Amino acid sequence: MKLSRPVSWFLLAFGVWSWVIWVTFVKNLVKDSSGLAFEDGHPTAYFFVHLTLAVVSFVLGTVIGGIGLRGLRALSRTSRTS
């Protein structure tokens, strides 16, 4: 399957955006002082659920961004040979 340049850029941007958003979220989660993420210094279910969401989002962001990057590389190879 061949991706267009706009679609490839969108997928790459989505991957980067996912990493930026979830890295920020995890930093805030670790620093949580409201009692949701940690109770008496121990992680709560809230912490583990949201950490799992972040890890899944990191994986999906990496895969989707990688697809976009591969699409852009394929387009640049095609334009150089033409």
Side-chain angles (χ1 to χ4, degrees):
M1 182 168 92
K2 196 171 184 180
L3 299 175
S4 68
R5 190 170 308 279
V7 169
S8 295
W9 275 111
F10 174 79
L11 293 175
L12 181 59
F14 177 86
V16 170
W17 174 257
S18 180
W19 269 86
V20 169
I21 291 300
W22 284 99
V23 164
T24 303
F25 181 82
V26 169
K27 284 180 183 179
N28 292 334
L29 183 65
V30 169
K31 290 189 251 180
D32 178 59
S33 61
S34 70
L36 285 174
F38 296 97
E39 189 174 287
D40 298 326
H42 300 290
T44 62
Y46 176 91
F47 176 84
F48 288 115
V49 166
H50 286 83
L51 186 62
T52 301
L53 287 171
V55 169
V56 169
S57 293
F58 290 143
V59 171
L60 291 175
T62 301
V63 170
I64 291 169
I67 292 169
L69 185 61
R70 287 181 66 188
L72 289 172
R73 286 183 178 167
L75 287 168
S76 71
R77 279 193 305 270
T78 303
S79 66
R80 279 188 274 159
T81 59
S82 297

